[in-house]
Amino acid sequence: MPNNYTKYITMAFLVLLAWNPVAHAEEPLAKDGAVLNAAEDAGSSKSFPTEKMEETLPSWFPKLLGMQATGISQMMPSFNNPYEGRNSFVADGSKGNGLTETYGVYLGSQITNNLQAYLDIEDFIGSGISNGVGLAGYVNGDMIRAGSSNLAEDPYIARMYFRYLLPLSSESEKVTRAMDQLPGEQPVKRLEFKVGKMSVADDFDQNRYANNNRTQFFNYDFMYNTAWDYAADTRGYTYGVFTALVQPQWRLAMGIYQIPNTGNGANFDFLNMRELGYNLELTVKPNANGTVIRFLSFFNESRAGSYDDALALQQTTGSATPDILSVEQQGGIKYGFGVNLEQPLADEGETGIFCRLGWNDGSHESWSYVESDRHASLGLQVSGINWGRENDHLGIAYGVNGLSAQHEDYLAAGGVGILLGDGRLNYGLEQVFETYYSIQLSSYLQISPDFQFIQNPGYNKDRGPAEVYGLRARVSF
């Protein structure tokens, strides 16, 4: 079916559902033992449209877990911009405006009591401000940086994987319907396994208050730790295996995933054991106040080039600028660490704070996520119940990104990375302030105005500051 037909049929169906006269919030995300699963995207409702029909079907028959359509419109006025490079953050002409649309259909099957299968089909169209480049903390988390991949704006398989649960206790807990989450019961203590195509960020660096740009903050800084260069193709997905030991007060998770064969690329060299990303995370819930702390480490091996090697080659050849592509080879290493805190404060956890800290060695080029080697962010979510709008939320956050010395030297010499490249660099920490307000208009319809202020875009004191005004409209069930 042509892309436009798929898009419009999906949108029409969702709009019909959206104008439910009884306005209630999407149910809270299901708890994964001590870990809150913040990967929900399709949403859930108290009265799901297909529930009665599902009662007559076999348990293994695929279930529609949800559908969603999200549109993000952004506008950026002109700002101080004395010079430009290939990947500069700019507002010239139409680059100061961005409009993206994402559509998704999410399916799941309970094959046996302990074995599940999931299939997610998504579609992305549109372009972001400055064509998606020029920042570490980019302003729209839905923006797909197709780069040289020339990705078609057609529906694609985002996730397709199996999930197996091995019970370690007879006690179970209820889980609600959500994206990649079948409704029912699951063991409180368990071993969990996943294999197939998925997003690494579905299972690592989760945070109740800052994890989902389609319902929370727009900016990359407040989705995941920007110093975590997690394995992913340009759309954000990869192939791999995941396992976790889940207990009521802690979880230990490990995953091994394929890394693309080019930076910000769309293709993988399958079964290449030297292009893998390894992730390990310990999650603890240390008290009865809802505190959750996550300790993350990662180790990537890929074809990523060394910044020092690129600068040395420039000196040897006398080139005007260093070229990281010329020194790419097998054996490029990047490793790092992150800490992630969520702390409920009031309103049954709907009001709370979050914090992230991150570091990576920064010796080799950024490969899959963003160009950031240091990260710190702090934010607050406030429930609208405090002013009579219990389903609304206000978010306020501040994030800082930094570079390693090698990365800074490379960009200052005129080098270009997957997202950055002004031709020169007057280095300063990139700083992002963002505030949004999500308004629940009906059971399935939400709109969110947003404002972002960016100091030193692309780590360059010569550029900016920049202001970005945005509006998000989302229909989901």
Side-chain angles (χ1 to χ4, degrees), residues 12-20 49 67 442-444 475-477:
F13 182 54
L14 289 169
V15 168
L16 286 173
L17 287 171
W19 293 107
N20 186 326
M67 301 174 70
S442 75
S443 300
Y444 306 105
V475 183
S476 68
F477 74 86

Side-chain angles (χ1 to χ4, degrees), residues 143-155:
M143 176 63 190
I144 293 178
R145 304 182 302 272
S148 60
S149 303
N150 296 318
L151 298 178
E153 293 184 342
D154 294 322

Side-chain angles (χ1 to χ4, degrees), residues 110-140:
Q110 190 74 47
I111 300 174
T112 68
N113 287 340
N114 298 327
L115 179 62
Q116 302 170 340
Y118 293 93
L119 173 66
D120 300 347
I121 301 171
E122 295 184 338
D123 189 14
F124 169 87
I125 62 174
S127 60
I129 286 174
S130 190
N131 287 342
V133 300
L135 294 173
Y138 187 68
V139 296
N140 179 354

